[in-house]
Amino acid sequence: MMKALNTKTPYFFIAPALLLLGLFSLFPIVVALVISFTDISLESLGDWSTIRFVGLENYLEVFKDPIFMKSLFNTLFYVIIGVPLVIICSLAVALLINFGKARIFRAFRVIFYMPSITNVVAVAVVWSYLYNPQLGLFNYVLNFLHLPSVPWLTDPTMSKVSLIALAVWRGIGVNMIIFLAALQGIPKTYYEAAQLDGATNWKQLTKITLPLLRYAIFFVSITTMIGWLQFFEEPLVMTKGGPLDSTTSVALFIYRNGFQLSNFGYAAAGSFVLFIAIIIITLLQFRLQKKEVDY
């Protein structure tokens, strides 16, 4: 009996975490999946008898929706441009701080991390003023240098680039901390041995630092990719998806249909398309990482 109790003891310790995970993560996913096959709306919440089972109709309609397809393209644009920029910039800052000798590099940790913990709505409002075509600081500097003003948030392509610039600025801090922790875990004896052999700084970076940061880069790539696939706050606050839905992301499309138009079933279908896309991309990244490790 004592042996059986000992084998069950670990489950008692993880039971609260599993209960919370199931209650607040798995259960809502199941509910959303069920809702995606119905025509539930705000009116239906008052009278459940009016809810109809529509099968795959919501999913078929989602893929026929030109705005949803445009939001998919926009999200793909955000991911392709934003993810590499965040990883490269945060890694560069981490390297600069880790190997920098001056005292000012200690202050850089706070300077680069502050945007990550600042409220995204407040940041977006401030950047909206910076992007203002008439009164914004960015166009003022351009005009001061005798350069033409830029339609930061009114041009379909430029508005996406502007949102990416803001998101990259906000995303550097957290990833910088992760890279910095990984860098400080690399034994200094590796660098000392390389220096004795006459290795240049570039050789040390490419042959020691980057290979030993492989798992940190992989982790940051996964988390950053998932975050950009769920890109939401910046386009909601700064452009509301405009102009002409050029900045509408999939997450914003789901929010608009679910909370503004009360088409909960339709929004749930869109959310599961995004959910499946995230799973597929994540599994592909794991597969690529496994191949590199095996190689």
Side-chain angles (χ1 to χ4, degrees), residues 28-40 51-62 263-273 275-276:
I29 291 175
V30 174
V31 172
L33 179 61
V34 174
I35 289 175
S36 69
F37 296 108
T38 68
D39 64 347
I40 185 172
I51 299 175
R52 292 187 307 110
F53 178 79
V54 297
L56 296 175
E57 182 179 330
N58 286 328
Y59 291 92
L60 296 175
E61 290 297 324
V62 158
N263 296 325
F264 299 130
Y266 191 69
S271 68
F272 261 88
V273 173
F275 178 70
I276 293 171

Side-chain angles (χ1 to χ4, degrees), residues 113-130:
Y113 187 67
M114 282 294 290
S116 301
I117 60 175
T118 306
N119 183 275
V120 62
V121 176
V123 170
V125 170
V126 172
W127 276 68
S128 296
Y129 284 109
L130 295 176

Side-chain angles (χ1 to χ4, degrees), residues 2-128:
M2 184 62 68
K3 183 178 180 181
L5 183 62
N6 290 336
T7 58
K8 294 179 180 179
T9 300
Y11 296 100
F12 287 105
F13 284 101
I14 65 174
L18 291 177
L19 180 62
L20 292 174
L21 178 66
L23 186 62
F24 295 105
S25 294
L26 300 180
F27 180 69
I29 291 175
V30 174
V31 172
L33 179 61
V34 174
I35 289 175
S36 69
F37 296 108
T38 68
D39 64 347
I40 185 172
S41 62
L42 190 62
E43 296 178 359
S44 303
L45 294 178
D47 184 6
W48 287 21
S49 62
T50 61
I51 299 175
R52 292 187 307 110
F53 178 79
V54 297
L56 296 175
E57 182 179 330
N58 286 328
Y59 291 92
L60 296 175
E61 290 297 324
V62 158
F63 283 106
K64 292 179 182 177
D65 192 333
I67 298 179
F68 180 75
M69 300 308 296
K70 195 168 188 177
S71 69
L72 281 177
F73 170 77
N74 294 336
T75 302
L76 185 63
F77 184 89
Y78 293 139
V79 169
I80 292 175
I81 304 298
V83 173
L85 278 176
V86 170
I87 295 173
I88 292 171
C89 292
S90 56
L91 179 58
V93 171
L95 290 170
L96 184 68
I97 293 174
N98 187 68
F99 294 107
K101 303 298 183 182
R103 290 185 177 181
I104 192 173
F105 289 109
R106 297 179 182 177
F108 282 173
R109 300 186 187 188
V110 179
I111 294 172
F112 283 102
Y113 187 67
M114 282 294 290
S116 301
I117 60 175
T118 306
N119 183 275
V120 62
V121 176
V123 170
V125 170
V126 172
W127 276 68
S128 296

Side-chain angles (χ1 to χ4, degrees), residues 97-225:
I97 293 174
N98 187 68
F99 294 107
K101 303 298 183 182
R103 290 185 177 181
I104 192 173
F105 289 109
R106 297 179 182 177
F108 282 173
R109 300 186 187 188
V110 179
I111 294 172
F112 283 102
Y113 187 67
M114 282 294 290
S116 301
I117 60 175
T118 306
N119 183 275
V120 62
V121 176
V123 170
V125 170
V126 172
W127 276 68
S128 296
Y129 284 109
L130 295 176
Y131 283 140
N132 188 284
Q134 284 81 33
L135 306 174
L137 176 63
F138 294 152
N139 278 342
Y140 175 81
V141 173
L142 291 175
N143 294 333
F144 181 79
L145 298 174
H146 302 290
L147 296 173
S149 298
V150 175
W152 300 104
L153 298 178
T154 55
D155 179 75
T157 302
M158 197 66 215
S159 57
K160 285 196 282 284
V161 175
S162 301
L163 294 182
I164 289 173
L166 166 58
V168 168
W169 176 75
R170 286 194 67 251
I172 289 176
V174 174
N175 295 329
M176 174 201 69
I177 295 297
I178 296 172
F179 283 134
L180 197 57
L183 283 168
Q184 294 179 351
I186 299 175
K188 294 183 179 179
T189 53
Y190 293 168
Y191 297 104
E192 293 171 356
Q195 290 169 1
L196 289 175
D197 290 337
T200 62
N201 291 335
W202 177 252
K203 284 290 185 182
Q204 294 177 42
L205 175 65
T206 55
K207 301 298 182 181
I208 299 176
T209 306
L210 292 181
L212 293 177
L213 287 179
R214 183 173 67 251
Y215 293 107
I217 294 173
F218 173 67
F219 174 77
V220 169
S221 300
I222 290 287
T223 54
T224 305
M225 179 81 71

